[in-house]
Amino acid sequence: MLGLMSSIFGFSIAGTNTEFNDWVNIFFMERSHYTLGLLGVTLFFGIPFIMMIYGGVKLLFKIHYSNRWLNISAGLVWFIGFIIVAFVGIKTGKDFSESGKVKEPIGVTLNRDTIYLKLKKSEELYQQLNLNEEDIDEYNEDGDRIKRHKRHSDYIVASSKNKKLIVGYATLNILPSTTDHFELYVIKKARGEDKRMAVERAKVIRYNVTQQDSSIYFDEIFTVGSEEKFRVQSIQVILKVPRGKVIHLDKSLDGFIYDVENVHNTYDGDMVD
């Protein structure tokens, strides 16, 4: 059922440290919903499969015996499985039905004509979350980083102080500004049963942006607390650049900048230096 829901909402749950049991607790409203869903799926697909085998055996051995009550019972059990699957699917899906977002302005003081954008990889944070480099990056046989391992739609479960946290991957988009100064915003998004609940979930996403002189450092990951359910939380950072100003994209941003509009239609990965 996790696979079905991830396909519907366009996210993936992955990572070498991810335990399936953790995702069950984080994804479903209640643990019993997963148990019910598993039972329903077993009945929904299992009963037709068993009846196909039963019919095949009868044909193979030319058995002409037919049990009406067996067919009726199998049909009723299959229908019960369908009802259970529908109940769990609707109950869980309802908590994904509305999207909410929070736009938080980030105060930066940038009086220079050129600013430098870099990705911050906090080793201390990764240690607190018990994340290894293999969870974040992918390397070739020579130990060289060959590409960013995670996309903005990927999630993993991390541990901190015996609590499970949802870890996601932020993105950066760069837009022209209509003012004469730089503008920086963090857009937090989440889903919920209604707009209010979705907004409340978006507010508690933890993400950091820091400034040092003319450089801005963006965290690669964001976290969602152990008390929250997974509801496709996401972070997008928006930087608005005024006319006449210059930004330098560090090579560490490869995979972090996402779908940046530009006059030459340059691919995101070719913009970094």
Side-chain angles (χ1 to χ4, degrees):
M1 293 205 53
L2 279 174
L4 176 62
M5 297 299 285
S6 65
S7 300
I8 293 174
F9 293 102
F11 62 88
S12 62
I13 51 178
T16 56
N17 72 324
T18 298
E19 297 292 340
F20 180 78
N21 188 61
D22 295 332
W23 276 108
V24 169
N25 295 327
I26 291 172
F27 188 87
F28 291 96
M29 296 292 291
E30 299 177 16
R31 178 79 187 190
S32 60
H33 288 177
Y34 168 72
T35 305
L36 273 176
L38 188 61
L39 174 62
V41 169
T42 301
L43 295 177
F44 185 79
F45 291 103
I47 294 300
F49 181 72
I50 292 173
M51 294 305 292
M52 287 177 59
I53 295 177
Y54 173 69
V57 170
K58 287 176 61 178
L59 288 175
L60 181 63
F61 293 100
K62 298 180 180 180
I63 300 173
H64 300 290
Y65 171 78
S66 179
N67 190 323
R68 179 187 177 188
W69 292 109
L70 175 63
N71 295 333
I72 293 175
S73 299
L76 287 174
V77 174
W78 176 87
F79 185 69
I80 291 172
F82 170 77
I83 294 297
I84 293 174
V85 171
F87 168 78
V88 175
I90 293 173
K91 190 73 173 178
T92 305
K94 187 178 180 181
D95 208 38
F96 285 80
S97 59
E98 292 291 337
S99 177
K101 70 177 182 179
V102 177
K103 183 178 181 180
E104 296 183 352
I106 304 297
V108 291
T109 305
L110 298 169
N111 300 321
R112 301 184 183 183
D113 292 335
T114 302
I115 64 170
Y116 300 86
L117 308 182
K118 301 178 181 180
L119 195 65
K120 178 183 178 182
K121 299 190 67 173
S122 174
E123 299 299 330
E124 181 180 352
L125 176 60
Y126 294 155
Q127 289 177 6
Q128 290 177 358
L129 298 176
N130 294 320
L131 291 176
N132 300 315
E133 285 190 348
E134 290 76 10
D135 297 319
I136 307 300
D137 299 315
E138 186 170 312
Y139 295 84
N140 60 20
E141 295 179 353
D142 298 326
D144 299 322
R145 175 176 169 171
I146 56 177
K147 67 176 182 178
R148 190 167 181 267
H149 186 57
K150 300 298 178 186
R151 302 165 299 166
H152 68 282
S153 57
D154 288 332
Y155 300 87
I156 60 176
V157 173
S159 299
S160 178
K161 298 179 180 178
N162 296 322
K163 293 183 178 180
K164 300 297 182 180
L165 303 177
I166 303 168
V167 177
Y169 297 83
T171 60
L172 169 66
N173 197 6
I174 301 171
L175 301 173
S177 175
T178 57
T179 68
D180 60 353
H181 58 274
F182 289 98
E183 299 174 81
L184 186 61
Y185 301 94
V186 172
I187 309 297
K188 300 180 177 182
K189 295 182 180 180
R191 304 190 75 89
E193 184 176 350
D194 52 45
K195 184 73 70 174
R196 181 193 61 81
M197 184 178 294
V199 170
E200 290 301 317
R201 284 182 172 142
K203 288 180 179 178
V204 298
I205 301 173
R206 293 191 287 268
Y207 182 74
N208 294 312
V209 178
T210 56
Q211 178 188 357
Q212 292 182 5
D213 297 325
S214 59
S215 297
I216 299 178
Y217 294 86
F218 304 93
D219 276 5
E220 183 176 17
I221 61 176
F222 64 86
T223 60
V224 180
S226 58
E227 67 283 357
E228 295 293 326
K229 296 292 184 180
F230 170 75
R231 293 301 179 260
V232 200
Q233 289 89 340
S234 66
I235 289 288
Q236 183 181 43
V237 184
I238 304 292
L239 176 64
K240 293 187 176 182
V241 181
R243 182 182 295 272
K245 302 295 184 178
V246 178
I247 57 173
H248 181 276
L249 303 178
D250 186 76
K251 62 180 180 180
S252 62
L253 295 173
D254 184 18
F256 182 71
I257 56 174
Y258 181 72
D259 197 24
V260 176
E261 295 184 7
N262 59 93
V263 295
H264 300 293
N265 199 28
T266 305
Y267 173 66
D268 291 341
D270 295 332
M271 297 183 189
V272 300
D273 184 15

